Structure formats: C-alpha cells, structure tokens
Amino acid sequence: MILHKLFVVLVWLVINFLGKGRCEMSIEDLHRDVLELRKLIGEMTTTIATQNSRIAYLQRTLNRQRSYCHREKLQKEVQDTKGSINYSVAKNNPNTIVMTNNGSGVVSSNRGDFRSSGRRPSVETPQLPFQSSLVRKGRLLIPQPTQPPHPSHNATAFYAYLSSDVAHPGQGQILKFDAVKTNAGNGYHPNSGIFIAPETGYYVFSWTSRIKHYGSTGEDHALELIINGQIFGSIYMKSLTGEDGQATGLATAHVNKGDDVYIQTHHQDPGSGAIRSDFYGRSSFTGWKLY
C-alpha cells in the first residue's frame, strides 16, 4: 500500500516534469509539488505508526494466548497424572473397597460381590513406601472410622480457698477453706474443711499456703495432708525478713468411698505467725478424681 502510493507520486512528478518541460517549470510549481509531496509523506508516516501500534497489540495478544495454552496443558497433564493413580489394595480380597480418584473429582470404588455373600466390606489403607511423594500427586479418600467418646461417670472435683487470714491457728488444727469456687459431686464441706470421697478411685490433691511476715526474725508453718486419719503429705514454709513465704503441695492417692481428706497444721509444731490469704494470693485446697 505504501509502496504503491510512493510509486504513484514519482510517476506523477515525472509526467509533470516531462509534460511541462524543464524550462517551463517555474519555482512556484516546484514549491507546490514539494509541499504536496511533504504532505503525502506525513500521511504515510502516520499510517506506519498506526500499523506498528496494531502489530505490538497483536504480539501481546499472541503472547497471552500462548501463556494460557501452556497453563491449560500443564493442568491437563496434572489431571492425567491424578487419574492414573489407582491403588490396587485388595487384589486377593474381592470384598475390600478400593477408592480411586479418576481425575474428575469423583471417587469410585470396586465393591465386589459382597451383597450376595452377606459380609460387610472392609476398608484397608495401603502402606506405601513413598507415601510423601504420592500425597503430592493424589489423595486416597478412604473414610476413617470414628468412635464417639464413652460416657464418663459423674465428675468429682473441688476448689476452695481461705477468704481471710488465719492468725495463729495452733497445732493439729483443720483449716476451713470457706470460699468454695468448684464443688462437682458435693464432696467438699466448707463448714468443716473436710472432703468426703463420694467414690472409690485415684485422686489428685493440691494445697497452697502463704505465711504472713511478723517481726524481724520471720515466721514459719507446716501444713499436712490427712487422708482417712493418716498423714499423706506435708509442706513447710518460712517467711524471710520483710517478705511473705509461700509453698504448694501435690499428691496422688487411692481413696476409698467415704474417706475423709483435709488439710491441718502440723500435728506437733504449732508454728508462728498467720496463714495469709488475700487478693494478692490465696491459700487454697483443691482435688479431683482421676478414675
């Protein structure tokens, strides 16, 4: 198209030049011809720029189409790879269900003729040596059996703390943890400070105590865990000069139904100072049945 226009312009100039004669062609005519030729060249330049823009657009479109086709090809190869995975688990057992992913997202199975035999099919999971690599290629959808939890017995648990300080309780005195926060099974009695086991079994008990500082030498106390009249555990605490003391005991014990469990001060040593319990830290007693 462009070459054709250029050829026409040259032919027109030659004819015009030969027709008029070299001597008859004036300066004005030559100037006019040059202007017309310049105009024509400008139009041709605009046409070339437009064509170049269209070519660039078509090239970008072609690149996008190639990229899209490449992704489609890769996805097709992945789907074909997934569809080719077939775990033949039950070669010798016709009643075994083999789950196969055919690449379309549908899971099929070869059940065998278990209806006529009256036996329920079994589901087996293959033990593959390269399980990690197979997981990346496909997923074996085998339903896992679920078992509901067994109903448990009535829970037994308690937690209580002292609502205020106990000043100089003396020796062998039962501590009455009167602020009850948890008492599942109603085994703990805050009026006496005694827990009466509602069932026989293994229990966990924990007791914590703070001791209040008096004077310049410090104070001390020992607390004992008593089960059915016998000392089962004990803790000792001593306050340092200018600081309160604290200790915690933990014990696991087999307790029979009806046994008494409580916390008392040391059966021989009355200790000194007060057992402390406030919003900074509570002296407490807790327990629960394991089984």
Side-chain angles (χ1 to χ4, degrees), residues 144-150:
Q144 299 297 327
T146 58
Q147 185 176 3
H150 295 289

Side-chain angles (χ1 to χ4, degrees), residues 6 13 16 31 52 64 111 136 142 149 152 159 161 165 181 206 216 220 229 243 249 261 271:
L6 184 59
L13 290 175
N16 192 17
H31 181 68
N52 289 336
R64 287 196 297 267
R111 295 179 178 271
R136 292 194 298 267
I142 298 179
S152 60
Y159 168 70
Y161 60 79
D165 296 352
K181 294 300 181 180
S206 177
S216 59
D220 64 343
E243 297 180 0
V261 182

Side-chain angles (χ1 to χ4, degrees), residues 200-215:
T200 299
Y202 284 92
Y203 289 79
V204 176
F205 299 101
S206 177
W207 64 107
T208 298
S209 181
R210 293 174 60 203
I211 184 172
K212 192 171 183 178
H213 170 72
Y214 286 104

